[in-house]
Amino acid sequence: MTSPLPSSPPASVLDLAPVVPVVVVTDAADAVPLARALVAGGLPAIEVTLRTPAALDAIRAIAAQVPAAVVGAGTVLSPAQVADSVAAGARFLVSPGWTDVLLEAMAGSGVPFLPGVSTTSEVVALLERGVREMKFFPAQAAGGTAYLKSLAGPLPQARFCPTGGIGPASAPDYLALPNVRCVGGSWMLPGDAIAAKDWGRVEALAREAAALRPRG
């Protein structure tokens, strides 16, 4: 089967919405209605993690049938996964960490990418390589808002999408930081709603997430 050709990739994933849903798809049949619910709720950037056998089929289906969605691949760990994800229609790539080999593959993919970092040295190493947009993971465990705030002074050119342990109560605190443009999370995708195929509930939770703004 010929994979769908993706639309032009976004200039920056970080600027599409305040929240990027992190989606684990176990049944590819859920991908399209789930994506439509998220888009209807105001969250067009959708990260489908490569943690299940259904992930690539889910990306392929969303790319083909939900044109308003900007679907990407998460938990990208190898050059082969980079190639497979882009071939399936992924318009951005996200990794929990990076190596030179993986970074080279993502940089050559033709789509935006967010390599994962959790230390200052990793941030500096990426800046040396011309990468300014990154995933901060695991956000809460790696120091949370206090850590990111401390990076803003010496490394103001780095921009982050923190992911890991973030929910609706803590998201505004992250979004208030000058070096954070969006956060990643899955709280708008409760397991019982997915199991019940309650896409209306997913849409409502997505709408609440899309409306999040910094406190103060």
Side-chain angles (χ1 to χ4, degrees), residues 62-206:
I62 294 170
Q65 300 180 53
V66 192
V70 181
V71 64
T75 320
V76 176
L77 301 176
S78 68
Q81 288 184 327
V82 169
D84 289 345
S85 298
V86 174
R91 294 171 63 188
F92 64 92
L93 305 169
V94 184
S95 67
W98 63 277
T99 65
D100 285 329
V101 171
L102 179 58
L103 191 68
E104 181 178 358
M106 291 194 294
S109 69
V111 301
F113 58 96
L114 297 174
V117 297
S118 60
T119 69
T120 305
S121 293
E122 290 171 323
V123 176
V124 172
L126 285 177
L127 291 174
E128 280 186 351
R129 292 160 171 78
V131 178
R132 295 188 176 187
E133 298 188 345
M134 311 166 196
K135 170 179 178 174
F136 181 61
F137 176 84
Q140 289 289 89
T145 56
Y147 194 98
L148 285 170
K149 185 176 181 179
S150 71
L151 293 180
L155 302 170
Q157 64 271 55
R159 302 202 311 164
F160 300 96
C161 175
T163 304
I166 299 174
S170 58
D173 293 330
Y174 281 93
L175 292 168
L177 298 175
N179 53 354
V180 171
R181 298 297 302 164
C182 65
V183 300
S186 57
W187 71 86
M188 73 297 299
L189 300 162
D192 58 343
I194 303 301
K197 304 188 186 304
D198 187 351
W199 309 123
R201 182 180 172 198
V202 171
E203 180 181 338
L205 290 171

